[in-house]
Amino acid sequence: MIKNVAVIGAGTMGNGIAHVFAQCGYKVSLIDISEKSLERGVATITKNLDRMVAKEKISADDKANTLNNITTFTSTEDGVKDVQLVVEAATENVDLKLKIFKNLSEVTADDVILATNTSSISITKIAAVTNRADKVIGMHFMNPVPVMKLVEIIRGYSTSDEVCNLIMETSKNLNKVPVEVNDYPGFVANRILMPMINEAIITLHEGVAGVEEIDTVMKLGMAHPMGPLQLADFIGLDVCLAIMEVLYEGFGNPKYAPCPLLVNMVTAGKLGVKSGEGFYSWTHGTKDLIVADNFKK
C-alpha cells in the first residue's frame, strides 16, 4: 500500500503533484536541487490552498494538514527514504530523465515504484536504465494538476499488471480519472494535441489568419476552452517543440515536423507565459496580442 511518496522537481508540475498527494493524505517528500525552487514550490501550493479556502472548497484545517504532509529535500537520497512511490516531474529532457532514473534505481529500495510525469518520452527507454523495468510507469498529470481530472497511465514494455493496477487505484484515490495507454511517442494526449497546435502555428506562419482569429475559430467553432496558440503559450513553446521532436523522431513521419516558426520562437527565447512573451505578451498572467508582423519571421 502506498502511503509515502517522493516527487522529484518543485516546478509547475512537481508542486502540483505534491499538492494533490498531500491534500489526499499522503506523506510527500518534495525534492529539488534548488532550495529557491522548493521555496517557490511551497509558496505556490500555499497560494493555491488559500484560493481553495476562500472558495470554501476546503477548510483552514485541510490547508494546514496538507502543508504538514509536505517535507522538502535538496538531497534525493534523503528524500526517498521510506517511500513506496517516486514521481519524477523534472524538465522534459531525455538525458536528464535517464540520469534521474538511473540514480533512483540505486538509492531506493528494490520494491519502490518509479513513475515519470513525462508527456512524451518513452517509458520503456526510461525503464531500461533502471534495475526494475517492471516497476517503472508513466503518470502523466495535466496542468494545472489540482484542477485537471485526467491522468494518463502509460505502461512500458515491461511494466507489470500489479504495478499498473496499483497506480490506477492510487490515481483514483487522488480523485483523478486514470486512463491506461500504451507506450508510443506522445501517448494519446500529446499525439493528438501537439500536431493540432503545430498545425495552428503553420496556419499562422503561412498567413492564413492571425493569432486571435485562429484562436477564436477554435474556441467558438470547436468549443475549445482556449485557442491552440494561447494553449501553446500556457504549456510553453519549448515544451511543445520538445514533444514535436519526440513525435518526429519516433514516427519518422514528415507530418510531425515542427513548424519553422515554432523553432525560431524557441531559439529566440519567446516561450510563452514563462518568458513573458509567445504568441501573446503576458504580464502577471494576463495577455495582450503581439503585432502580427512578428510571426512572419
Side-chain angles (χ1 to χ4, degrees), residues 126-147:
I126 291 172
V129 302
T130 74
N131 57 9
R132 65 194 82 166
D134 61 317
K135 294 181 176 64
V136 177
I137 194 165
M139 292 185 77
H140 180 207
F141 290 84
M142 305 293 127
N143 185 25
V145 180
V147 176

Side-chain angles (χ1 to χ4, degrees), residues 122-125 127 133-134 136-138 153-160 181-183:
S122 168
I123 307 304
T124 303
K125 185 172 185 175
D134 61 317
V136 177
I137 194 165
I153 306 300
I154 306 103
R155 297 181 67 129
Y157 185 83
S158 301
T159 306
S160 71
V181 305
N182 290 318
D183 188 21

Side-chain angles (χ1 to χ4, degrees), residues 152-167:
E152 268 190 310
I153 306 300
I154 306 103
R155 297 181 67 129
Y157 185 83
S158 301
T159 306
S160 71
D161 290 341
E162 180 184 4
V163 165
C164 186
N165 292 337
L166 179 56
I167 295 303

